[in-house]
């Protein structure tokens, strides 16, 4: 038996004693035959690649089918017959996984479009079976390890993609073991000089660092033994890429400037021991206040749990702060293996030494997959458990953007560039025009259409999901002239106040003090006016929240009969359809129902509800399925009388146009008086019945638009 497969079989048996090793070996032989004669760029036989990828995969302790699919992952070339044969030999599950891998495509980076298509498929498949992603990550890891055999220009492209796509996916799945390796390898090919520098500087201080780490581990271990806490203490240097990134971020010129080059890690059995350990450490060494994080009580979004603290006094040589992470073995396994570890520990309360149940996550996943295939539940399970609340979308150029779930093309636009956001006029999603407020899905390709002269719209604030988009839109409006906005706000508000018969704004804007039942200071009142001026809040909304209808209207008394005769066809009262008030409706022209008549609603496509008398012939002829019960609402109780004045230069038909505008709003006129002003204008004093302030507001709007009208106000 060849040794390269023997190692895989041995490792499998260690955590999976029930595995059918003959089946795994058969897969190896099958792959070896299929790849016979093929060579890697390195000159080695091709079979070395799937074997090495499977070795990486075994860190995640996958199930038998996933191991087999990984060995076979490059067997399927272009023919359907390969899939059929694999299914015949290894079963449906393996064939599905192998086909999933094939669908992702052997990413060859021939032009941007191909890459986009591959990535898109990848993300789509990610939502259907996570095991395909695990294989893909193991595959990529080995490809990165053998990248030196590839042409230099290809190296850069592959490394870049690894850094931008694969490492973030590994991180998102919480597989830090893969993430750090992928990042360091990509770092080596993308920034070879920086990589070499970080490495040599680390090597330079390795001896003293090693001494310190050993000393610190011993000291911590002794402290824990005294406290009778059974725990494992390990010291670990951070990986190159994260060190380099930190140097870039802080503007450091040398590795030595970073004090937390390594972390000490304490692994305990129970949660409680984590806190006891923390207590023991804080008791002896001084913690840096701001560096303490309790991710056990409040886990990170991807589920990461640990206590982080940084203390002074442990480093006796350099007297530098020392970072310590404290967590249970279970939390540690999850931190390293992420999604792969998630289920295996969820099943078993006691953390360590799991054998059979280590596979629980795969079983659960497969079960979930078959039970809930293509249903929303499975997607939900994945998105809450693993992908948390993020989506990946692509630019047409193949850039991958990580956005919160529910993000819109507008969020996408602002993530690409502020200017793209500001000038966005539309979007294309997967090549089709889509609204800027539509919801993006995982894997979609998004293109933003811009117009240079376009400026942001305040409406955008109502639907964008990312804080950065919100901040950028707000910043745009804040940059508009402050004084200008206040002046505009005052003018708008004064006009509205006058209209409602209220005094104009005083210099201290006192009328706004109790806005929304609050107690606003002068500055807050001014800010409200500024918001009216810059349009972030509608003046009508403010006024509606400022006054109750009761303040400007008097209730109708039963003795005060409405003078309804002035309007030829009054639509008195609301109709309640199927016990639902407020639905739009029209009165039927055939039977002309009046208040008090027995009525029913008929739902007509594109017209909505038409109210008929119940004895109407047309209603009787109609499809009974389209008929809904209807009733007149109780109209007299909430009606209130408001006196308004509508003035302007008299003309033929002036009164008719004014009363028609009122009738169109379905508002009743209770009284009407005409007089002439000293400026030879005609003033219509009208008493109208309204049920809510919004209705009055809309009426005043309409009246202002009647030809010849130059004054519309509520009078006391
Ligand atoms: Mn491969």
């Amino acid at each position: 038996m060849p040794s390269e497969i023997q190692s895989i079989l041995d490792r499998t048996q260690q955590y999976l004693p029930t595995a059918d090793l003959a089946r795994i070996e058969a897969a190896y032989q099958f792959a070896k035959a299929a790849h016979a004669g093929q060579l890697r760029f390195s000159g080695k036989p091709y079979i070395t690649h799937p074997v090495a990828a499977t070795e990486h995969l075994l860190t995640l302790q996958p199930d038998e089918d996933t191991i087999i699919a990984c060995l076979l992952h490059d067997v399927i070339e272009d023919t359907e017959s390969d899939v059929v044969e694999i299914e015949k030999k290894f079963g449906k599950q393996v064939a599905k996984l192998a086909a999933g891998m094939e669908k992702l495509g052997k990413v060859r980076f021939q032009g941007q479009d191909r890459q986009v298509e591959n990535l898109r498929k990848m993300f789509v498949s990610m939502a259907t079976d996570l095991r395909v992603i695990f294989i893909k990550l193991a595959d990529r890891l080995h490809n990165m390890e053998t990248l030196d055999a590839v042409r230099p220009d290809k190296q850069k492209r592959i490394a870049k993609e690894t850094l931008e796509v694969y490492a973030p996916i590994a991180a998102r799945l919480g597989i830090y073991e893969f993430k750090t390796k992928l990042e360091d390898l990509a770092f080596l090919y993308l920034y070879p000089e920086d990589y070499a520098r970080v490495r040599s500087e680390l090597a330079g201080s390795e001896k003293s660092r090693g001494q310190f780490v050993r000393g610190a581990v011993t000291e911590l271990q002794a402290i824990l033994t005294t406290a009778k806490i059974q725990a494992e203490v390990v010291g670990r240097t951070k990986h190159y890429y994260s060190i380099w990134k930190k140097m870039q971020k802080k503007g450091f010129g040398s590795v030595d400037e970073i004090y937390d080059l390594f972390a000490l890690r304490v692994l305990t059995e129970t949660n409680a021991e984590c806190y006891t350990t923390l207590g023991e450490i804080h008791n002896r060494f001084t913690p840096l206040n701001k560096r303490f994080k309790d991710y056990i009580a409040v886990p990170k979004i991807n589920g990461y749990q640990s206590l982080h603290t940084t203390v002074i006094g442990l480093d006796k040589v350099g007297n530098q702060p020392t970072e310590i992470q404290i967590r249970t073995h279970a939390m540690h396994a999850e931190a390293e293996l992420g999604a792969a570890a998630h289920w295996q520990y969820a099943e078993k309360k006691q953390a360590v030494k799991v054998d059979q149940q280590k596979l629980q996550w795969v079983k659960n996943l497969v079960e979930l997959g078959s039970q809930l295939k293509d249903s929303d539940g499975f997607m939900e399970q994945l998105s809450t458990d693993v992908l948390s609340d993020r989506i990946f979308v692509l630019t047409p150029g193949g850039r991958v953007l990580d956005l919160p779930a529910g993000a819109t093309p507008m969020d996408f636009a602002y993530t690409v560039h502020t200017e793209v956001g500001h000038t966005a006029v539309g979007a294309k999603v997967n090549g089709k025009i889509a609204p800027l407020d539509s919801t993006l899905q995982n894997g979609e390709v998004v293109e933003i259409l811009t117009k240079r002269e376009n400026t942001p719209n305040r409406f955008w604030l109502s639907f964008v999901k990312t804080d950065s988009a919100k901040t950028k839109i707000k910043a745009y409006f804040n940059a508009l002239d402050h004084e200008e906005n206040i002046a505009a706000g005052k003018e708008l508000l004064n006009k509205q106040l006058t209209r409602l018969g209220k005094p104009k704004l005083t210099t201290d804007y006192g009328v706004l003090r109790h806005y929304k039942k609050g107690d606003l200071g002068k500055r807050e009142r001014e800010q409200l006016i500024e918001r009216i001026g810059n349009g972030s809040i509608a003046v009508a909304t403010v006024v509606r929240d400022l006054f109750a209808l009761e303040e400007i209207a008097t209730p109708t008394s039963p003795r005060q009969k409405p003078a309804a005769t002035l309007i030829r066809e009054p639509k008195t009262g609301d109709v309640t359809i199927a016990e639902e008030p407020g639905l739009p409706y029209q009165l039927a022209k055939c039977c002309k129902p009046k208040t008090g008549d027995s009525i029913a609603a008929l739902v007509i496509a594109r017209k909505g509800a038409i109210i008929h008398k119940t004895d109407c012939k047309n209603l009787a002829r109609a499809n009974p399925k389209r008929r809904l019960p209807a009733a007149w609402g109780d109209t007299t109780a909430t009606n209130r009388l408001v006196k308004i004045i509508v003035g302007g230069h008299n003309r033929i038909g002036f009164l008719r146009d004014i009363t028609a505008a009122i009738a169109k709003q379905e508002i009743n006129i209770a009284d009407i008086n005409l007089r002439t002003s000293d400026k030879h204008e005609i003033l219509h004093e009208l008493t109208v019945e309204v049920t809510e302030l919004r209705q009055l507001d809309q009426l005043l709007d309409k009246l202002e638009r009647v030809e010849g009208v130059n004054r519309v106000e509520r009078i006391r």
Side-chain angles (χ1 to χ4, degrees):
M1 193 178 283
S3 65
E4 55 187 9
I5 189 61
Q6 191 55 52
S7 143
I8 288 173
L9 298 179
D10 289 347
R11 285 181 64 191
T12 304
Q13 201 169 27
Q14 270 171 30
Y15 73 89
L16 191 58
T18 55
D20 183 350
L21 298 184
R23 197 164 159 252
I24 295 173
E25 209 207 325
Y28 165 76
Q29 297 296 354
F30 184 88
K32 198 176 176 186
H35 293 304
Q38 290 176 6
L39 296 177
R40 294 278 289 173
F41 283 119
S42 61
K44 286 190 174 167
Y46 199 91
I47 186 66
T48 56
H49 164 65
V51 166
T54 308
E55 290 275 6
H56 284 312
L57 186 71
L58 284 173
T59 342
L60 305 181
Q61 303 189 336
D63 67 352
E64 192 180 310
D65 283 342
T66 312
I67 296 170
I68 290 170
C70 189
L71 284 167
L72 300 175
H73 84 264
D74 278 334
V75 166
I76 301 177
E77 286 289 340
D78 304 304
T79 57
E80 262 300 297
S81 64
D82 292 332
V83 185
V84 175
E85 203 180 343
I86 286 175
E87 185 171 337
K88 240 195 312 193
K89 283 199 160 71
F90 301 102
K92 232 186 184 133
Q93 282 296 322
V94 173
K96 241 174 66 186
L97 292 172
M101 278 297 288
E102 199 278 327
K103 226 172 59 179
L104 297 184
K106 276 180 261 164
V107 187
R108 290 201 189 96
F109 317 114
Q110 289 163 348
Q112 293 288 3
D113 285 346
R114 190 187 165 84
Q115 185 185 346
V116 168
E117 186 59 19
N118 280 330
L119 292 175
R120 202 180 67 72
K121 277 180 186 166
M122 171 159 193
F123 294 124
V124 171
S125 89
M126 177 156 136
T128 55
D129 198 329
L130 274 182
R131 293 178 299 174
V132 175
I133 301 296
F134 295 150
I135 300 173
K136 191 74 195 167
L137 288 173
D139 174 39
R140 172 54 59 111
L141 186 50
H142 184 246
N143 284 338
M144 286 302 293
E145 285 170 344
T146 52
L147 201 59
D148 58 341
V150 173
R151 276 207 330 257
D153 58 319
K154 273 188 167 188
Q155 287 176 347
K156 294 262 185 214
R157 273 207 306 278
I158 296 171
K160 199 158 191 289
E161 194 188 48
T162 301
L163 202 57
E164 284 186 1
V165 183
Y166 289 82
I169 288 174
R172 187 63 65 213
L173 294 169
I175 310 172
Y176 288 99
E177 170 102 12
F178 282 13
K179 177 203 174 243
T180 52
K181 282 180 179 163
L182 287 171
E183 278 180 351
D184 273 357
L185 286 161
F187 178 35
L188 164 65
Y189 287 97
L190 282 174
Y191 309 96
E193 285 112 32
D194 288 355
Y195 181 92
R197 216 183 78 215
V198 170
R199 196 169 72 161
S200 80
E201 285 187 17
L202 273 179
S205 58
E206 203 168 73
K207 207 177 156 197
S208 58
R209 201 174 56 247
Q211 249 170 9
F212 160 68
V213 171
R214 274 192 300 280
V217 167
T218 314
E219 186 168 355
L220 265 189
Q221 193 71 70
I223 290 168
L224 294 174
T225 310
T226 314
K228 296 198 166 62
I229 300 168
Q230 229 192 21
E232 190 185 329
V233 184
V234 283
R236 191 188 58 105
T237 306
K238 286 190 171 155
H239 71 294
Y240 295 170
Y241 181 68
S242 73
I243 290 171
W244 181 70
K245 238 174 50 182
K246 188 152 203 174
M247 288 169 67
Q248 301 289 107
K249 204 172 127 193
K250 307 242 163 167
F252 289 163
S254 152
V255 171
D256 297 330
E257 291 177 60
I258 302 177
Y259 65 78
D260 51 353
L261 272 179
F262 48 85
L264 290 177
R265 195 172 284 150
V266 182
L267 301 178
T268 69
E269 301 292 328
T270 66
N271 283 20
E273 283 170 343
C274 291
Y275 291 100
T276 323
T277 303
L278 182 75
E280 290 296 328
I281 291 170
H282 281 188
N283 209 7
R284 280 174 178 77
F285 310 104
T286 314
L288 292 186
N289 240 343
K290 282 182 186 157
R291 305 277 311 225
F292 172 66
K293 295 263 160 52
D294 185 350
Y295 293 121
I296 292 179
V298 186
K300 282 191 189 178
I301 232 163
N302 63 7
Y304 177 84
Q305 286 191 299
S306 194
L307 298 176
H308 288 192
T309 188
T310 301
V311 298
I312 298 178
L314 192 56
D315 179 2
K316 305 278 191 293
V317 189
N319 209 22
Q320 292 283 350
T322 309
E323 192 185 320
I324 305 171
Q325 301 173 348
I326 306 161
R327 53 205 191 210
T328 65
H329 287 281
M331 291 169 190
H332 181 61
E334 178 149 349
E336 294 297 301
L337 304 178
H342 189 89
W343 287 274
Q344 68 193 43
Y345 284 107
E347 278 303 300
K348 204 169 156 86
K349 296 268 151 32
Q350 238 186 342
V352 250
K353 303 277 182 232
V354 190
D355 35 54
Q356 281 293 74
Q357 269 165 326
K358 280 191 177 176
L359 282 178
Q360 199 57 44
W361 70 271
V362 182
K363 288 193 195 127
N364 286 356
L365 206 58
V366 174
E367 274 163 25
L368 267 176
S370 53
Q371 278 166 20
L372 304 167
K373 194 162 53 188
D374 301 325
S375 82
D376 292 338
F378 186 45
M379 292 292 294
E380 252 172 46
Q381 180 75 15
L382 277 183
S383 51
T384 47
D385 270 351
V386 178
L387 306 173
S388 62
D389 48 0
R390 312 294 297 181
I391 57 164
F392 297 97
V393 288
L394 300 159
T395 68
R399 197 177 140 204
V400 180
L401 298 186
D402 183 355
L403 293 169
T408 64
M410 213 57 238
D411 293 291
F412 177 91
Y414 274 106
T415 308
V416 171
H417 197 280
T418 305
E419 219 28 58
V420 175
H422 282 352
T423 56
V425 291
K428 273 188 186 174
V429 175
N430 287 347
K432 280 185 195 149
I433 295 285
L436 285 169
D437 61 347
S438 55
T439 303
L440 295 175
Q441 306 296 330
N442 224 0
E444 282 179 338
V445 179
V446 186
E447 186 181 349
I448 299 298
L449 311 170
T450 59
K451 225 180 211 168
R452 200 184 311 161
E453 61 273 22
N454 194 56
T455 54
N457 187 325
R458 285 180 187 86
F459 170 63
W460 295 349
L461 286 167
S462 66
F463 64 78
V464 292
K465 285 282 178 302
T466 52
D467 288 337
S468 73
K470 270 184 198 153
T471 311
K472 285 169 178 173
I473 297 169
K474 281 183 189 158
Y476 174 86
F477 288 112
N478 287 343
L480 294 181
D481 189 47
H482 170 77
E483 295 298 324
E484 242 172 62
N485 284 334
I486 289 183
K490 273 200 239 177
E491 199 184 314
L492 283 165
L493 192 53
N494 271 333
K495 194 169 161 250
Q496 200 79 2
L497 286 170
T498 311
R499 213 166 86 155
L500 290 174
K502 294 283 179 188
K504 286 190 178 186
L505 286 167
T506 49
T507 47
D508 68 347
Y509 317 123
V511 68
L512 297 177
R513 175 179 289 282
H514 299 299
Y515 177 66
K516 285 198 166 175
K517 294 185 177 141
D519 185 16
L520 274 58
K522 170 91 192 279
R523 233 188 95 70
E524 291 168 303
R525 284 175 252 161
E526 192 174 83
Q527 279 167 350
L528 184 59
I529 286 171
E530 193 180 350
R531 286 175 64 211
I532 295 172
N534 71 25
S536 56
I537 187 167
V539 65
T541 313
V542 173
V543 169
R544 255 179 250 137
D545 284 331
L546 218 46
F547 307 109
L549 180 62
E550 294 76 41
E551 284 179 56
I552 50 176
T554 49
T556 49
S557 80
R559 265 164 280 143
Q560 229 174 339
K561 280 272 172 189
T565 45
L566 267 176
I567 301 164
R568 214 175 298 147
E569 192 56 61
K571 291 180 177 179
T572 37
D574 286 320
V575 171
T576 302
I577 299 166
E579 295 184 11
E580 187 73 30
L583 293 174
Y585 65 90
Q586 294 171 38
L587 295 176
K589 291 198 178 77
C590 50
C591 56
K592 297 190 178 65
K594 299 249 169 0
T595 318
D597 290 341
S598 168
I599 50 171
L602 192 62
V603 181
I604 307 288
R606 279 190 295 277
K607 274 188 167 174
I610 313 287
I611 305 299
H612 290 265
K613 287 190 193 175
T614 44
D615 56 5
C616 174
K617 277 181 213 157
N618 289 331
L619 182 70
R621 271 200 293 269
N623 183 348
K625 279 186 184 162
R626 297 185 172 277
R627 190 174 157 161
L628 290 172
W632 298 102
D634 185 8
T635 55
T636 49
T638 52
N639 267 11
R640 286 177 180 272
L641 293 172
V642 177
K643 227 181 212 183
I644 58 173
I645 193 156
V646 182
H649 290 286
N650 205 359
R651 60 173 174 86
I652 293 168
F654 199 21
L655 175 62
R656 181 200 59 206
D657 290 348
I658 289 168
T659 54
I662 298 172
K664 232 178 168 173
Q665 296 295 300
E666 300 179 25
I667 286 173
N668 195 33
I669 301 173
D671 192 18
I672 185 162
N673 279 304
L674 302 185
R675 55 187 174 89
T676 318
S677 79
D678 45 3
K679 288 177 198 158
H680 304 290
E681 284 182 337
I682 182 125
L683 302 176
H684 308 77
E685 283 181 10
L686 301 148
T687 305
V688 292
E689 282 181 41
V690 292
T691 50
E692 49 174 0
L693 192 52
R694 179 187 297 270
Q695 207 185 1
L696 177 64
D697 200 38
Q698 281 165 352
L699 175 68
L700 299 180
D701 275 347
K702 291 285 190 260
L703 288 172
E704 277 174 353
R705 273 175 230 143
V706 172
E707 193 195 330
V709 169
N710 57 19
R711 182 180 165 201
V712 178
E713 269 174 49
R714 175 220 156 207
I715 47 172
R716 275 161 282 186

